[in-house]
Amino acid sequence: MKKNISKLILLALTLVLVAGCTALKNSDGNNKDKTDDLAKIKANGKLVVGTAPGYPPFEFVVDKSGKSQVVGADIDLAKKIADEIGVKLEIKAMDFDALIMALQSSKVDMVITSMTPTEERKKSVDFSDVYFEGTNSIIVNINFSKDISKEDDLKNIVLGVQRGSVQEIYAKEVLKAPKIKSLTAIPDLIADMKNGNIDGIIASTVVAKINANQYEGIKLIDVNLSQANKEEAAIAIKKGENKALLDIVNKTIKSLKDSGQYEEILNKNIDLASKQ
């Protein structure tokens, strides 16, 4: 009887110990069971990058041998990162406002699309160091005659912004403009402006200048946009334990900026976009 009781006690203790180890593994050791994103990228042999074409010179579509291809400064940056990791690059094009969800659901490994690292976005994803800094401008029709000399004057016109962009956040939350139209891409906004449905478009100055060169009948106007007058771009990766991947991304950005290669990449794509 005593022998049987001893066996039962030993069995019970063993079950408790196993259960405790399992719980510990599932809680404290959970990250050890997961393959980090850098290891997954290397195992897959490719880096999948999400981007939103229609924002030259950063990402835009060109026709090469009868086939559409996404190019731009962000695509060149993605290629440099893929080369640093030692894998091929795969680009997935989608709407700007779908990119963070695609990253969170592991449809892409990172997002490179001239995305501003806002505090709100940082709640959902992690960001690299900033790789581009610029300003914003207003695009209008050449015959635009309304007095827009200060920021508050923008409340009196219909403003166009790219859906999901920092410019949309500014127009809605900072400026609190009563008339805002959000569309997927800058070319869509310009077409709508030409049709008379939009008075002015807020866009990155470098993007605005390229579009002013590409499309007849539009121009830029100088308005001090306070909080919106500074634009920053960083790379988004999945939130969590991705230090190894983030280190490679930041190392690549630093190397390109320190050597002047990023400026060369940007200027090359400005020239390319201007000829489209």
Side-chain angles (χ1 to χ4, degrees), residues 38 81 84-85 243-253:
L38 179 58
I81 294 169
E84 185 67 31
I85 297 172
K243 186 178 182 303
L245 179 59
L246 195 58
D247 284 348
I248 283 188
V249 170
N250 286 335
K251 175 187 172 184
T252 306
I253 290 171

Side-chain angles (χ1 to χ4, degrees), residues 50 73 93 158 207 223 247 258 262 271:
V158 180
V207 173
V223 181
D247 284 348
D258 288 351
Y262 181 74
D271 289 343

Side-chain angles (χ1 to χ4, degrees), residues 68-81:
S68 295
Q69 183 176 339
V70 181
V71 298
D74 283 349
I75 309 307
D76 288 347
L77 174 56
K79 182 68 169 65
K80 293 287 186 183
I81 294 169

Side-chain angles (χ1 to χ4, degrees), residues 214-261:
Q214 283 182 321
Y215 298 95
E216 292 184 1
I218 65 174
K219 65 179 181 180
L220 273 60
I221 57 173
D222 186 24
V223 181
N224 183 5
L225 300 179
S226 66
Q227 292 184 46
N229 207 34
K230 183 180 180 182
E231 184 187 37
E232 294 182 332
I235 296 169
I237 66 171
K238 195 184 296 183
K239 197 166 188 65
E241 298 297 323
N242 277 313
K243 186 178 182 303
L245 179 59
L246 195 58
D247 284 348
I248 283 188
V249 170
N250 286 335
K251 175 187 172 184
T252 306
I253 290 171
K254 186 177 187 306
S255 175
L256 291 173
K257 290 179 74 174
D258 288 351
S259 66
Q261 286 185 69

Side-chain angles (χ1 to χ4, degrees), residues 58-128:
F58 298 102
E59 43 273 324
F60 54 104
V61 177
V62 297
D63 184 79
K64 287 192 176 182
S65 304
K67 292 184 178 180
S68 295
Q69 183 176 339
V70 181
V71 298
D74 283 349
I75 309 307
D76 288 347
L77 174 56
K79 182 68 169 65
K80 293 287 186 183
I81 294 169
D83 288 346
E84 185 67 31
I85 297 172
V87 295
K88 294 179 180 178
L89 174 65
E90 180 182 323
I91 297 295
K92 283 193 176 182
M94 58 190 75
D95 291 347
F96 186 88
D97 56 352
L99 286 165
I100 287 181
M101 190 177 295
L103 181 61
Q104 291 175 321
S105 59
S106 299
K107 291 180 180 176
V108 298
D109 298 314
M110 63 180 64
V111 169
I112 310 182
T113 189
S114 192
M115 182 176 283
T116 302
T118 63
E119 292 305 315
E120 187 62 29
R121 287 172 181 158
K122 286 177 183 178
K123 295 176 184 177
S124 305
V125 298
D126 287 333
F127 281 101
S128 70

Side-chain angles (χ1 to χ4, degrees), residues 91-244:
I91 297 295
K92 283 193 176 182
M94 58 190 75
D95 291 347
F96 186 88
D97 56 352
L99 286 165
I100 287 181
M101 190 177 295
L103 181 61
Q104 291 175 321
S105 59
S106 299
K107 291 180 180 176
V108 298
D109 298 314
M110 63 180 64
V111 169
I112 310 182
T113 189
S114 192
M115 182 176 283
T116 302
T118 63
E119 292 305 315
E120 187 62 29
R121 287 172 181 158
K122 286 177 183 178
K123 295 176 184 177
S124 305
V125 298
D126 287 333
F127 281 101
S128 70
D129 295 337
V130 169
Y131 64 84
F132 171 80
E133 293 180 79
T135 59
N136 286 292
S137 294
I138 309 295
I139 308 171
V140 295
N141 279 314
I142 199 81
N143 57 359
F144 183 84
S145 59
K146 294 181 181 179
D147 180 24
I148 306 293
S149 56
K150 58 184 185 298
E151 190 174 35
D152 272 355
D153 293 334
L154 294 173
K155 295 179 181 179
N156 301 322
I157 66 173
V158 180
L159 283 174
V161 289
Q162 185 180 28
R163 187 179 298 124
S165 68
V166 68
Q167 289 87 1
E168 182 183 49
I169 295 169
Y170 160 76
K172 288 181 176 180
E173 299 180 9
V174 179
L175 186 62
K176 299 187 186 301
K179 293 173 282 188
I180 299 169
K181 189 159 188 181
S182 302
L183 295 177
T184 302
I186 298 296
D188 299 332
L189 291 165
I190 290 174
D192 215 30
M193 184 175 71
K194 285 179 170 287
N195 290 332
N197 299 318
I198 293 172
D199 295 316
I201 301 164
I202 307 176
S204 166
T205 300
V206 66
V207 173
K209 285 180 178 178
I210 287 173
N211 281 278
N213 290 332
Q214 283 182 321
Y215 298 95
E216 292 184 1
I218 65 174
K219 65 179 181 180
L220 273 60
I221 57 173
D222 186 24
V223 181
N224 183 5
L225 300 179
S226 66
Q227 292 184 46
N229 207 34
K230 183 180 180 182
E231 184 187 37
E232 294 182 332
I235 296 169
I237 66 171
K238 195 184 296 183
K239 197 166 188 65
E241 298 297 323
N242 277 313
K243 186 178 182 303

